[in-house]
Amino acid sequence: MLSAAVILTIFLGFWGVVVKRNLIMKILSMDVMSTGVIAFFVIWAARSGVFTPIYKPWRQVDYADPVPQGIILTAIVIGLSVQALMLVGVMKLSRNHPTLEVESIEQAVASGAQSTSTDD
Amino acid sequence: MTELTLVWVALPFLLAFTTYLMPALTRPSLVGMAALTVAYAVQQGGLPGTTAAPLELQLLDHFGVTLRIDANGAAMLLAHGLVTLGVALYLDRRFAGSRFLAMQLLIVHGSANAVIISADLISVYVSLEVLSIGVFLLLTYGRRAEGQPTVEENAPHRDRQLWVGLRYLFMSNVAMLFYLMGAILVYVRTGSLAMSSLAMADPTALALIAVGLLAKGAIFVAGLWLPLTYVTADPVIAAVLSGFTTKAGAMALVRCSEASPVLAQGLPYLSAGSAVFGILLALMASTPQHLLAWSSVSQMGFVIAAPQWAGLYGLAHGLAKPLLFVGTSVTHPWRWPMLLLGTASLAGVPGSLGYAAKALSLSALDPWHEWLLVGVTVGTTCLGVRVLRAPVSPMKGVTTSATPWQDKVALVLWGGGLLWGWLPAAYGADNLLKALLSLGVGIPLGWFWERIPLKKGSVNEGLEAVVGGLSVVLVLVWVLFGEVSHGALP
């Protein structure tokens, strides 16, 4: 049940990246997708147990697997920095394309490419 | 040797952050780092025709970091070193913010090196992500300072670069999320993240990992992002991209396929698909830059065709493409040796490094795959002739009357590398026959191409198509690996 919800989150995020027209919405969808992937790791880490993996000799409990949790920390940090970088890029783009609609940006980019190639 | 390897891997990042404090040292340290990589690659058997014992380092326990350097990877490292060295000399005052670019190039160089030698899934993930951030910054900030009018007039070009960079970052981030899911599935199944554990992974995990690496390597439909990116970027930055950053993803895929039989059996289909897909769109393209960019997608299919020669092919292509991208953007007489050497190596004229790499790769393949790739080589030859015959059109803002000394150095470095092709093993009678056959058909075809009535086509290269292409590739690869692991395909 839980993993089905996580897979659904990842899928919805990916779907959003493909179909949403606004650039900000696309970035938000990508964030949803990466949240799904993070949850995917956390669920798999909790397969063997749910206790925080800090070893105490007097606690005989089922610890969660620390390796996926450690890996996903790296991925969270990378995802955050990539997103920050993309938002900065979007801020710069919004100066000339205030609506941030992907189609209008792509049209402008394509017409710009044509005009420079005819200039040459 | 272990210490030297560790210092060599870490040094680019250390230098990059140090040069923030001492900006004057940026270019010298970039040149020095590239020279060190060349020396290291030669020492590890990276020169064509030499070998060295592979070096394997297990830095932590079986969850942790594993490095592996073999002759295959060393050939690719040689390409990293030579391309970075050439590009470092270009990054002078003619570029706005050249020191920032040089620092980013240091980071890109270091992370590409790390991808090549990593032998576990998470090191590859981290290095590829760092690589994509560095490439994004190179793409968006790689601008000539001279000949640019005012900021206002230049805004469309700047927006175009920014958009292409954003598109690249979108694509690579989504692809790497798929890769991460694959990595955790491998870990759950086998309890290890080393690449050797891929042997026991299920097809779903392999498909997810392969999609991530295919997208980074611009192979098959996952390479839709590449052409517009190369055409928009400054030629020198396109040289970095075509020289080694896309090959990093392909080399990681090759490395994975060495461990996993399922991946190794699926790889020829991906290689053939990429070679044909790229060449068809390249033949329909119109400008030399578009031709070269689509031909890169096609050549990536050759790189992954025979895993044991992937490094050598990567080296040959990684030296030819930068030469061609720089050569098509200039108008002085040095343009001709650059273009001639580049196209000769790309088309596999005997004597060039491209010929040796192609002959060795093709002779290791199944017959259907081999003859398909010979057919694609005819198309590549045709493209080469078309690039040579294309009218000289300088890039906007590049002064071209005098020959910059960097062009001469680049010709010596990259073109000289391409002449290093005298590997006796590659000069069998059947290999020579295949090369002459493809040249004999391809050259006349290229010469008369403009007279063939053909509809100029193009594909949708928008962001939706690029990301949607990933899902198509994911489904295809998943089905392919499922079939392979059930033994349905030969």
Side-chain angles (χ1 to χ4, degrees), chain B residues 90 94-96 142-146 148 234-236 329 395 397-398:
Chain B
Y90 276 103
R94 288 174 305 162
F95 278 85
R143 266 193 296 274
R144 307 266 172 167
E146 64 185 25
Q148 299 286 15
D234 189 274
V236 173
S329 70
M395 208 195 64
V398 183

Side-chain angles (χ1 to χ4, degrees), chain A:
Chain A
M1 181 61 204
L2 207 53
S3 47
V6 166
I7 302 276
L8 190 69
T9 311
I10 296 172
F11 179 75
L12 280 179
F14 183 69
W15 189 71
V17 173
V18 178
V19 302
K20 284 288 173 190
R21 289 174 159 190
N22 191 296
L23 209 47
I24 295 280
M25 293 300 275
K26 273 186 193 287
I27 293 179
L28 286 181
S29 311
M30 207 179 71
D31 194 31
V32 170
M33 188 179 168
S34 68
T35 308
V37 173
I38 291 164
F40 194 65
F41 268 67
V42 172
I43 284 183
W44 279 114
R47 225 174 22 132
S48 55
V50 292
F51 270 87
T52 317
I54 299 173
Y55 179 66
K56 298 275 166 57
W58 62 88
R59 277 205 315 194
Q60 292 294 325
V61 290
D62 294 332
Y63 292 108
D65 191 344
V67 175
Q69 294 188 351
I71 292 167
I72 204 62
L73 267 184
T74 320
I76 291 171
V77 173
I78 293 175
L80 175 82
S81 36
V82 168
Q83 244 158 31
L85 200 58
M86 288 174 88
L87 286 173
V88 171
V90 168
M91 270 167 61
K92 286 188 140 190
L93 262 184
S94 70
R95 213 169 288 156
N96 290 325
H97 306 274
T99 58
L100 287 176
E101 296 286 324
V102 171
E103 278 173 31
S104 73
I105 297 174
E106 267 170 355
Q107 270 170 10
V109 165
S111 63
Q114 269 165 16
S115 72
T116 46
S117 62
T118 47
D119 287 353
D120 294 344

Side-chain angles (χ1 to χ4, degrees), chain B residues 46-48 71-84 116 217 219 230 239-252 254 296 298-323 342 345-346 353-362 414 417-418 423:
Chain B
L47 281 181
N72 208 359
M76 204 53 235
L77 292 178
L78 188 61
H80 291 185
L82 288 175
V83 173
T84 310
I116 297 292
I219 299 163
Y230 280 18
V240 177
L241 287 171
S242 61
F244 60 91
T245 60
T246 49
K247 275 162 208 93
M251 288 302 287
V254 164
S296 284
S298 157
Q299 293 292 311
M300 293 314 291
F302 282 82
V303 172
I304 59 167
Q308 66 271 40
W309 298 111
L312 185 62
Y313 204 97
L315 172 65
H317 182 238
L319 292 179
K321 271 288 153 65
L323 209 54
S345 175
L346 211 57
L353 186 59
Y355 167 78
K358 199 165 283 191
L360 290 171
S361 300
L362 290 191
W414 299 337
L418 288 176
L423 304 184

